């Protein structure tokens, strides 16, 4: 018997917009400006954590970042508010060129460090640790973008996917939305 591909996401692993807002508030309250801005940058662009290094002062000035990974080049547009926040942060941290998200020693921030810092916000934010990891910010971007545009082709391009089937995995829900949709059909008396 063939097993159908996964249709729903595990409920305990989905990061909601409310969870995201609580994480940002916790970062702000704990004065973790870099972490809060980093989460906003990933969530508002859909970039991977490994692509953070392409968010440079030059990219913020230009309003676009060129992501060069996996033998591909794609352009990420930076929204006006994000650009201003990135430039303000860079100025405050005296970063005049190059990567915006750096360690105190000026090196690239690692995926593990981002993961660890995000997990450190969970308790203060009141968000379960199983929902909090950097890649979930990319998933949240995908679901919010799709809900707004209903354009999976454009979303695939923004995420750098060569297959819409890959993009489709980013749009899985826990099934609660599906149940609400079934209830709205009104087919059970």
């Amino acid at each position: 018997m063939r097993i159908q591909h996964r249709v729903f996401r595990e409920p305990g692993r989905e990061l909601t917009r409310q969870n995201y807002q609580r994480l940002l508030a916790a970062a702000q309250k704990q004065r973790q400006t870099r972490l809060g801005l980093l989460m906003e940058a990933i969530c508002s662009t859909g970039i991977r954590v490994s692509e953070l290094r392409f968010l440079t002062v030059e990219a913020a000035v230009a309003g676009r970042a060129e992501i060069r990974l996996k033998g591909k080049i794609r352009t990420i547009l930076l929204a006006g508010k994000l650009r201003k926040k990135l430039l303000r942060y860079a100025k405050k941290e005296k970063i005049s060129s190059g990567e915006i998200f750096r360690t105190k020693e000026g090196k690239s921030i690692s995926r593990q460090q981002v993961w660890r810092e995000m997990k450190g916000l969970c308790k203060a934010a009141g968000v379960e640790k199983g929902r909090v990891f950097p890649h979930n910010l990319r998933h949240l971007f995908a679901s919010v973008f799709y809900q707004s545009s209903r354009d999976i082709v454009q979303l695939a391009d923004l995420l750098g996917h060569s297959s819409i089937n890959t993009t489709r995995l980013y749009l899985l829900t826990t099934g609660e939305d599906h149940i609400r949709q079934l209830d709205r059909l009104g087919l059970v008396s």
Side-chain angles (χ1 to χ4, degrees):
M1 187 178 285
R2 285 182 44 207
I3 298 174
Q4 185 177 354
H5 60 272
R6 197 174 64 177
V7 180
F8 302 109
R9 192 169 199 185
E10 294 176 46
R13 295 188 49 85
E14 184 175 39
L15 185 72
T16 65
R17 189 186 284 247
Q18 293 77 22
N19 296 148
Y20 168 66
Q21 294 296 334
R22 289 201 307 262
L23 288 168
L24 291 178
Q28 183 178 13
K29 187 174 182 181
Q30 294 181 5
R31 290 182 167 61
Q32 292 190 42
T33 308
R34 181 189 68 188
L35 179 58
L37 182 56
L38 183 150
M39 289 189 303
E40 286 182 305
I42 293 172
C43 201
S44 68
T45 61
I47 63 173
R48 298 171 180 91
V49 176
S50 61
E51 297 170 339
L52 278 171
R53 67 177 191 231
F54 296 101
L55 289 182
T56 62
V57 172
E58 295 79 8
V61 168
R64 58 183 49 220
E66 287 223 341
I67 308 290
R68 298 168 182 267
L69 275 180
K70 299 181 179 185
K72 299 181 207 172
I73 300 173
R74 78 179 195 283
T75 301
I76 299 298
L77 300 177
L78 306 175
K81 282 176 102 173
L82 178 62
R83 286 180 64 206
K84 287 176 186 171
K85 285 181 117 176
L86 290 170
L87 291 170
R88 196 174 327 127
Y89 174 80
K91 185 176 181 179
K92 179 180 166 256
E93 295 296 318
K94 297 177 177 55
I95 301 169
S96 57
S97 66
E99 292 178 48
I100 292 175
F101 298 109
R102 308 173 178 185
T103 64
K104 290 176 184 166
E105 295 78 33
K107 296 180 183 175
S108 295
I109 190 165
S110 73
R111 187 177 65 222
Q112 294 84 358
Q113 185 175 359
V114 174
W115 188 88
R116 191 172 43 253
E117 288 180 18
M118 284 181 66
K119 291 288 186 181
L121 291 177
C122 291
K123 188 174 183 180
V127 179
E128 300 152 32
K129 283 188 176 187
R131 296 179 188 274
V132 179
F133 43 95
H135 200 70
N136 249 3
L137 296 171
R138 185 168 154 86
H139 281 267
L140 181 58
F141 166 81
S143 81
V144 171
F145 182 89
Y146 184 74
Q147 287 169 5
S148 172
S149 72
R150 295 290 182 203
D151 188 341
I152 196 168
V153 174
Q154 186 179 23
L155 178 58
D157 289 342
L158 291 173
L159 294 174
H161 293 158
S162 52
S163 168
I164 289 176
N165 285 328
T166 303
T167 307
R168 189 177 166 278
L169 297 174
Y170 280 68
L171 303 176
L172 295 178
T173 64
T174 60
E176 292 172 14
D177 290 337
H178 186 74
I179 290 170
R180 280 193 290 276
Q181 181 66 32
L182 291 173
D183 287 342
R184 280 194 296 267
L185 294 175
L187 296 174
V188 177
S189 56

